[in-house]
Amino acid sequence: MKARLIKRTAPLAAGLSLVLLAGCGGAQDGGASEESRVVVGMSDEVLATDPADGYDPGSWLLFNNVFQSLLSFPKGGTTPEPDAAEKCGFEGGTSTVYRCTLREDLKFSNGNPLTSEDVKFSFERAIAIASDSGPGPLLATIGSIETPDERTVVFRLKSADATFPSKIASGAGSIVDHREYDSGGLRDDGKAFGSGPYKLDSFTEDEAVFSINPEYKGNATVRNGGVTLKLYHGNQDKLAANLKKGEVDVAYRGLTAKEVAGLQGSVSDDDKQISVVEGGSAEVQHLVFNMKHPVAGKLAVRRAFAYLVDRDALVRDTYDATAEPLYSIIPAGIAGHNTAFFERYGDRPQPAKAREALRSAGITGKVQLTLWSTSSRFGPATDQELAAIAKQLNDSGLFKADVKSVEFDQYQKDIDAGKYGTYVQGWVPDYPDPDNFTQPFFGPGNVLNNNYENKEITGKIIPETSAMADRAATESKFAELQNLVAEDVPLLPLWQGKQYAVAHGSITGLEWTLDASTVFRFWEIQKG
């Protein structure tokens, strides 16, 4: 479970999710001409081309465009719909048996037929390989897979899991050709064979080239002649410069807030207008409290902390308003979101209430606390953000807080060892369901490693919501969970990210590539 927090976390300030919009998307296909090929620049790495291994944003971008899943998330939607499957659903009134019927005559990009054998092989392979950086945690509830015929797949789950459709609609559900992949080992040749809208023509350290898959049958309508993905390995200045030069049509994941602001309304070297547009995101950031720490482990300290943090000032001054204040663990746009921390602690510093919380617990001196950060993972703005929080605490006269920042490898080791009292963590969801913002943090195998357990949450709310196929019916339960967390304060929600698009020329359709599903849809981008 820990791999999700590490591998799927995207630094907001160091590399905002960016897409550039210069108008509304058209409905007609872009055709297959080289002139309609789109060049996308990204500062993230693509760490894997094998779906049994990659769990990072760059790899999932590749998976979502090259491979097909039984289900997929529609643009702007958070409820999965059949894709490689013709239909899917739970059987018998429970959330333990899930049956899918495949579309007829599916083929991989190499021309091989895609049948239920490939689906079974793909899931069993990912589970068996159990890569540390793979999607195994999302598939943990699969008990067995049956294939009664070439078009039918039946998943028998170990326990009720109503979020299973969302899990397999993510990159974790990528279907591979059983003839092209080793059941016991990972590919390391940079090749990929899927049945998605695109095929991977070549992959190097600096570039991935995608062309249209003529064998594709699914929900997507391709509106361009292919995509070239240029990888900038964290070099934000070079990405911005190449966008200005016209060498890149779209900048995605990699420009800072200041760079975005500077590009808005500018023109490229060939006099094409550059536009920036804002999109939604379910990326969040929290401050985490170690419940066994001698200082942060005290409830009164955590509550006093919650009374003093000014989120509006943080997103305004540190992130140039490229984020929104977050007042609960489930972000806006995800079913079940509430504002439990706003209701409990307000949206402005309240020193008097913070003092009362401390004094009622017999704490009379200044609370000494170190806030731990890692700029190598979350970007330099995170250090600035924590410094601002420390100042807010110290200005109250109740705290003596400081900030320390270390390299990410050391940071994670120290968290695992329980050395930190308060530390920052970010989260990019695997699928847009409230379960993905709660179960990893408060269920078995807590990925935050902060020693928090609430028996009402772990023993009742999480199991009950996991079994509820009607996800709308879970809202009251998730509201209860969020309220409990606001009372216990094992973590403090800080902000919810925004996504941005920056593009020049006649690029359209980018408004459909960024939403809470975290799927960047190459096929929606059109070059006029």
Side-chain angles (χ1 to χ4, degrees):
M1 296 293 286
K2 185 167 59 180
R4 282 195 282 181
L5 189 68
I6 298 171
K7 296 298 184 183
R8 293 285 291 159
T9 297
L12 177 79
L16 289 167
S17 297
L18 296 176
V19 199
L20 291 146
L21 181 63
C24 298
Q28 297 183 356
D29 294 349
S33 68
E34 190 62 27
E35 290 77 13
S36 63
R37 173 172 289 275
V38 176
V39 180
V40 176
M42 180 174 74
S43 69
D44 278 353
E45 308 287 349
V46 175
L47 299 180
T49 61
D50 189 331
D53 188 29
Y55 209 5
D56 57 284
S59 296
W60 276 38
L61 179 148
L62 185 149
F63 301 160
N64 287 327
N65 287 283
V66 171
F67 296 96
Q68 200 171 14
S69 300
L70 292 168
L71 306 164
S72 63
F73 293 104
K75 56 187 181 184
T78 57
T79 301
E81 297 178 348
D83 194 352
E86 181 178 270
K87 59 181 179 180
C88 287
F90 284 107
E91 291 188 339
T94 70
S95 299
T96 57
V97 180
Y98 196 71
R99 179 184 294 264
C100 290
T101 302
L102 296 176
R103 293 176 185 259
E104 293 183 356
D105 301 322
L106 288 173
K107 292 182 180 181
F108 291 101
S109 59
N110 58 13
N112 289 336
L114 188 164
T115 69
S116 59
E117 179 183 3
D118 298 291
V119 178
K120 176 180 170 71
F121 172 85
S122 301
F123 284 100
E124 291 183 342
R125 173 177 180 265
I127 293 170
I129 291 175
S131 168
D132 288 341
S133 54
L138 294 181
L139 310 178
T141 56
I142 296 176
S144 63
I145 305 173
E146 300 168 3
T147 54
D149 56 56
E150 289 191 346
R151 293 182 57 207
T152 304
V153 184
V154 181
F155 298 90
R156 297 194 181 276
L157 307 182
K158 298 174 185 176
S159 58
D161 184 3
T163 65
F164 185 69
S166 292
K167 291 174 180 176
I168 64 173
S170 73
S174 299
I175 303 169
V176 302
D177 185 347
H178 75 275
R179 307 162 193 82
E180 296 284 354
Y181 289 80
D182 181 352
S183 62
L186 296 168
R187 291 193 80 110
D188 58 4
D189 60 359
K191 295 183 179 180
F193 297 92
S195 59
Y198 294 85
K199 55 182 180 178
L200 180 64
D201 295 332
S202 64
F203 178 76
T204 66
E205 182 180 357
D206 299 322
E207 183 178 272
V209 178
F210 303 84
S211 62
I212 297 172
N213 175 14
E215 305 291 352
Y216 171 70
K217 289 185 179 180
N219 297 332
T221 299
V222 179
R223 307 178 191 280
N224 53 60
V227 173
T228 298
L229 179 65
K230 291 186 177 293
L231 305 173
Y232 287 86
H233 313 293
N235 191 333
Q236 301 160 1
D237 293 339
K238 187 174 181 180
L239 174 57
N242 284 359
L243 178 69
K244 289 281 287 184
K245 291 177 183 177
E247 295 179 10
V248 172
D249 298 314
V250 178
Y252 175 64
R253 302 192 66 85
L255 300 183
T256 66
K258 289 184 178 179
E259 286 169 330
V260 172
L263 287 168
Q264 175 64 50
S266 66
V267 295
S268 63
D269 291 351
D270 54 358
D271 294 326
K272 292 180 179 178
Q273 186 74 31
I274 293 177
S275 300
V276 179
V277 91
E278 180 182 309
S281 170
E283 177 184 357
V284 298
Q285 189 188 81
H286 305 307
L287 271 179
V288 182
F289 298 102
N290 180 356
M291 306 298 279
K292 291 186 177 180
H293 189 267
V295 179
K298 296 178 180 179
L299 178 59
V301 170
R302 301 195 302 274
R303 286 181 173 171
F305 199 121
Y307 277 123
L308 295 173
V309 172
D310 187 340
R311 295 169 178 81
D312 285 330
L314 291 178
V315 299
R316 181 190 67 234
D317 300 337
T318 305
Y319 292 106
D320 294 326
T322 57
E324 294 284 353
L326 181 63
Y327 292 96
S328 196
I329 53 175
I330 298 174
I334 302 296
H337 164 75
N338 73 4
T339 54
F341 278 79
F342 175 87
E343 304 301 330
R344 180 67 174 79
Y345 304 101
D347 65 342
R348 291 293 184 273
Q350 301 186 65
K353 290 187 176 181
R355 181 183 299 274
E356 180 183 352
L358 293 173
R359 299 298 182 260
S360 65
I363 301 173
T364 56
K366 288 188 177 181
V367 177
Q368 297 191 32
L369 192 62
T370 295
L371 313 183
W372 289 90
S373 180
T374 174
S375 61
S376 62
R377 181 58 177 174
F378 302 119
T382 308
D383 290 355
Q384 299 167 21
E385 173 191 10
L386 264 61
I389 292 175
K391 185 176 186 303
Q392 292 174 0
L393 296 174
N394 295 340
D395 285 349
S396 71
L398 301 172
F399 281 77
K400 185 179 180 181
D402 64 350
V403 177
K404 292 184 180 179
S405 184
V406 298
E407 291 298 310
F408 180 66
D409 288 346
Q410 186 63 46
Y411 184 77
Q412 195 59 47
K413 289 177 183 177
D414 289 345
I415 290 174
D416 292 345
K419 292 183 178 180
Y420 300 159
T422 306
Y423 48 96
V424 66
Q425 288 287 21
W427 185 255
V428 177
D430 300 300
Y431 52 93
D433 186 278
D435 174 83
N436 200 224
F437 296 89
T438 52
Q439 194 276 339
F441 298 160
F442 313 116
N446 175 342
V447 299
L448 299 174
N449 286 344
N450 69 334
N451 303 297
Y452 174 68
E453 182 179 2
N454 182 303
K455 292 183 179 179
E456 181 71 13
I457 294 175
T458 57
K460 184 178 179 182
I461 298 177
I462 287 178
E464 287 181 355
T465 55
S466 294
M468 299 172 71
D470 180 2
R471 302 310 287 164
T474 65
E475 291 196 10
S476 62
K477 291 291 183 182
F478 280 117
E480 181 183 353
L481 186 156
Q482 291 169 93
N483 293 339
L484 288 170
V485 171
E487 288 297 311
D488 291 346
V489 204
L491 54 73
L492 187 70
L494 294 177
W495 51 252
Q496 174 176 351
K498 299 177 183 178
Q499 298 190 80
Y500 291 85
V502 191
H504 66 79
S506 55
I507 296 293
T508 60
L510 284 163
E511 69 271 34
W512 301 118
T513 62
L514 297 176
D515 54 35
S517 72
T518 72
V519 177
F520 188 71
R521 302 171 178 86
F522 279 170
W523 59 89
E524 294 290 349
I525 308 173
Q526 189 167 356
K527 188 175 183 179

